[in-house]
């Protein structure tokens, strides 16, 4: 029986699966997993923009037993909220993004490479991809060096807060680090000139107390950390693979076009989930209230009805930017433009700094995840 859910680590070519489903069953009821899987571009957009399809709860009734601080962070994140809560947290997150200062990306990536390059070899994923995006965000908000080091070193554990299923060990560690990261973020935010004005403005416009807005603000700053780690790692990893495979790095413009095409052709995020809060009709199918929905973004990105010669990597295709990797509608990822810019700058630095960049692995292994296709390691030679 066909299953819509599979581990990326167990699948050499998920795109052949998507191609088959697009052709034969683009709206599919997975009886085994009790979930609707949506594969076509048009239907994915319809679900993502439908107010009857909401973000499902990650931790209903705190069944995972997160402590007070970890629970506050999770419950206030823009990407996990619905309705008015989403609108308020999104407004705060957008204001925070607008206050980020420009930092020297080149100096950060240069230091990371120098610290991890041994005999001209380096693991691109663990040396750069997991470090650069979060460090850029932290430095953009003026965090002290020791705080940058602490938070960046904890991110791989903290992002597990987003999982709908967590191990006891993961929950224990999240509960240990969440209060300290929250405290560091609170201290830094409160030192910034715009903090009080943001609190007051949003508090007055939404009839919420300053204390409530304060918690939402700190939580969404931490949410920016999480988004930068998630999105940044995947884009930097997958873009390097595609750029080297297709030799598209003669100019910064070509690098950026290749990053955008990678987001369509080989995205880090393959699917996202929704739950129907009312009956929804898609094509000839009825998705009933309380049904779970899997929106297969990576399949939509290869829909031939939307993208001409969809199986070709073509950075000059005129609608590549219409890929759904960052979603669309009210829940579109706020880190989209930041992530693309960061990846383009970092990769352009890499190809300018080194005459030869060569991948040393013949068979890239992927993390055992259902929703994301993320390389575990990418060993490269830099000459």
């Amino acid at each position: 029986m066909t299953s819509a859910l599979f581990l990326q680590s167990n699948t050499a070519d998920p795109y052949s699966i998507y191609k088959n489903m697009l052709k034969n069953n683009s709206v599919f009821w997975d009886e085994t997993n009790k979930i609707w899987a949506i594969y076509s571009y048009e239907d994915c957009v319809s679900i993502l923009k439908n107010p009857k399809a909401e973000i499902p709860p990650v931790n209903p009734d705190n069944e995972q037993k997160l402590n007070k601080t970890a629970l506050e962070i999770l419950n206030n994140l823009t990407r996990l909220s619905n309705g008015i809560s989403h609108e308020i947290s999104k407004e705060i997150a957008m204001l925070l993004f607008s206050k980020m200062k420009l930092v020297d990306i080149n100096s950060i990536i240069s230091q990371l490479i120098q610290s991890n390059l041994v005999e001209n070899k380096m693991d691109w994923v663990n040396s750069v991809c997991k470090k650069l995006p979060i460090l850029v965000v932290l430095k953009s908000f003026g965090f002290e060096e020791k705080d940058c080091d602490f938070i960046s070193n904890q991110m791989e554990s903290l992002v597990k807060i987003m999982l709908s299923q967590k191990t006891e060990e993961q929950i224990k560690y999240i509960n240990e680090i969440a209060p300290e990261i929250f405290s560091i973020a609170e201290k830094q935010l409160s030192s910034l000139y715009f903090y009080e004005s943001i609190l007051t403005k949003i508090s007055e416009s939404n009839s919420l107390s300053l204390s409530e807005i304060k918690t939402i603000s700190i939580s969404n700053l931490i949410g920016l950390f999480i988004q930068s780690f998630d999105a940044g790692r995947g884009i930097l990893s997958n873009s390097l693979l595609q750029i080297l495979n297709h030799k598209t790095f003669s100019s910064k413009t070509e690098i950026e076009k290749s990053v955008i095409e990678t987001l369509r052709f080989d995205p880090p995020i393959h699917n996202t989930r929704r739950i129907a809060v009312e009956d929804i009709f898609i094509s000839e199918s009825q998705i009933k209230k309380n049904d779970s929905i899997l929106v297969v973004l990576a399949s939509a990105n290869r829909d031939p009805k939307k993208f001409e010669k969809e199986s070709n990597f073509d950075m000059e295709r005129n609608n590549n930017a219409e890929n759904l990797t960052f979603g669309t509608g009210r829940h579109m990822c706020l880190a989209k433009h930041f992530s693309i810019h960061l990846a383009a700058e970092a990769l352009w630095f890499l190809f300018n700094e080194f005459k030869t960049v060569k991948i040393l692995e013949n068979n890239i292994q992927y993390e055992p995840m259902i929703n994301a296709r993320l390389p575990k390691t990418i060993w490269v030679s830099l000459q």
Side-chain angles (χ1 to χ4, degrees):
M1 182 178 291
T2 302
S3 174
L5 305 181
F6 55 85
L7 294 176
Q8 295 291 335
S9 54
N10 295 341
T11 309
D13 181 17
Y15 301 103
S16 62
I17 298 173
Y18 305 150
K19 184 175 183 178
N20 181 62
M21 296 306 292
L22 269 170
K23 181 179 179 180
N24 298 309
N25 209 340
S26 63
V27 178
F28 172 67
W29 171 248
D30 181 343
E31 178 63 27
T32 302
N33 296 294
K34 306 298 181 186
I35 192 169
W36 288 95
I38 314 298
Y39 292 94
S40 75
Y41 187 95
E42 181 181 2
D43 290 337
C44 283
V45 170
S46 180
I47 290 294
L48 292 173
K49 291 187 174 182
N50 196 325
K52 298 177 183 178
E54 293 192 347
I55 303 292
V58 169
N59 179 33
D61 302 318
N62 195 22
E63 59 188 23
Q64 297 171 351
K65 295 182 172 58
L66 296 178
N67 63 22
K68 180 177 182 292
T69 305
L71 192 60
E72 284 180 335
I73 294 171
L74 185 66
N75 288 344
N76 285 297
L77 292 178
T78 302
R79 60 197 280 195
L80 295 180
S81 57
N82 295 293
I84 187 63
S85 296
H86 173 73
E87 297 305 320
I88 294 170
S89 59
K90 183 178 180 179
E91 180 184 0
I92 292 172
M94 291 177 67
L95 281 169
L96 289 172
F97 249 124
S98 71
K99 298 299 182 180
M100 291 174 64
K101 293 183 178 180
L102 291 176
V103 298
D104 187 355
I105 294 174
N106 289 353
S107 66
I108 301 174
I109 188 174
S110 176
Q111 185 175 354
L112 289 173
I113 291 174
Q114 290 174 18
S115 300
N116 292 280
L117 194 62
V118 179
E119 296 182 350
N120 296 321
K121 297 176 183 179
M122 180 186 68
D123 175 7
W124 174 251
V125 174
N126 288 287
S127 299
V128 175
C129 302
K130 291 183 180 181
K131 297 289 186 180
L132 179 64
I134 180 61
L135 286 174
V136 169
V137 172
L138 289 164
K139 291 178 182 295
S140 295
F141 285 101
F143 281 81
E144 296 179 6
E145 201 66 36
K146 62 180 180 63
D147 292 332
C148 289
D149 291 341
F150 174 78
I151 293 176
S152 63
N153 288 332
Q154 303 301 325
M155 284 310 300
E156 192 153 15
S157 297
L158 183 64
V159 295
K160 302 295 192 299
I161 199 172
M162 307 296 294
L163 297 177
S164 57
Q165 295 182 346
K166 306 177 181 68
T167 66
E168 289 186 8
E169 184 178 357
Q170 288 169 339
I171 293 170
K172 180 182 177 182
Y173 200 76
I174 289 168
N175 284 337
E176 288 177 359
I177 62 175
E180 188 165 358
I181 291 177
F182 190 94
S183 177
I184 293 171
E186 178 180 22
K187 178 183 176 183
Q188 183 58 24
L189 261 186
S190 63
S191 72
L192 301 176
Y193 73 94
F194 59 81
Y195 183 55
E196 290 297 331
S197 61
I198 284 181
L199 289 184
T200 303
K201 176 184 176 182
I202 299 177
S203 174
E204 292 175 350
S205 62
N206 292 284
S207 300
L208 292 174
S209 70
L210 283 172
S211 176
E212 290 174 302
I213 294 298
K214 178 180 177 181
T215 299
I216 297 172
S217 299
I218 298 165
S219 298
N220 276 284
L221 177 58
I222 296 171
L224 295 186
F225 302 164
I226 293 171
Q227 281 185 299
S228 66
F229 183 89
D230 278 348
R233 169 194 172 178
I235 295 174
L236 284 165
S237 298
N238 294 14
S239 294
L240 178 67
L241 293 175
Q242 295 304 326
I243 288 171
L244 288 176
N245 188 37
H246 295 93
K247 304 292 190 291
T248 55
F249 47 86
S250 62
S251 69
K252 186 184 289 189
T253 299
E254 283 196 348
I255 292 288
E256 183 168 326
K257 287 181 178 180
S258 295
V259 169
I260 293 171
E261 170 63 338
T262 297
L263 287 167
R264 185 202 69 84
F265 182 82
D266 185 25
I269 304 302
H270 274 224
N271 56 69
T272 187
R273 301 198 186 204
R274 295 293 188 268
I275 188 167
V277 294
E278 296 181 32
D279 288 358
I280 299 171
F281 290 89
I282 293 291
S283 296
E284 298 178 357
S285 300
Q286 180 184 11
I287 300 175
K288 296 181 179 180
K289 182 179 179 179
N290 296 325
D291 280 354
S292 295
I293 307 168
L294 187 77
V295 186
V296 190
L297 307 170
S299 173
N301 288 346
R302 294 234 189 159
D303 188 338
K305 292 181 180 180
K306 178 65 180 180
F307 299 100
E308 185 178 358
K309 297 181 180 179
E310 78 290 344
S311 296
N312 294 346
F313 185 94
D314 180 5
M315 67 179 183
E316 299 297 344
R317 189 184 288 102
N318 61 16
N319 65 339
N320 287 336
E322 295 177 40
N323 69 77
L324 296 182
T325 299
F326 286 99
T328 190
R330 63 193 184 284
H331 274 101
M332 187 172 70
C333 178
L334 298 179
K336 176 178 181 178
H337 299 295
F338 166 80
S339 299
I340 292 171
H341 171 74
L342 174 63
E345 289 291 325
L347 290 165
W348 179 239
F349 172 84
L350 180 71
F351 293 119
N352 259 341
E353 189 74 9
F354 299 94
K355 292 182 179 179
T356 303
V357 180
K358 183 179 179 181
I359 295 176
L360 301 175
E361 297 182 83
N362 293 324
N363 184 24
I364 300 295
Q365 300 297 309
Y366 290 86
E367 298 285 1
M369 303 174 72
I370 291 175
N371 73 310
R373 191 166 178 82
L374 303 176
K376 285 186 175 181
T377 61
I378 302 176
W379 281 94
V380 295
S381 170
L382 305 178
Q383 301 284 347

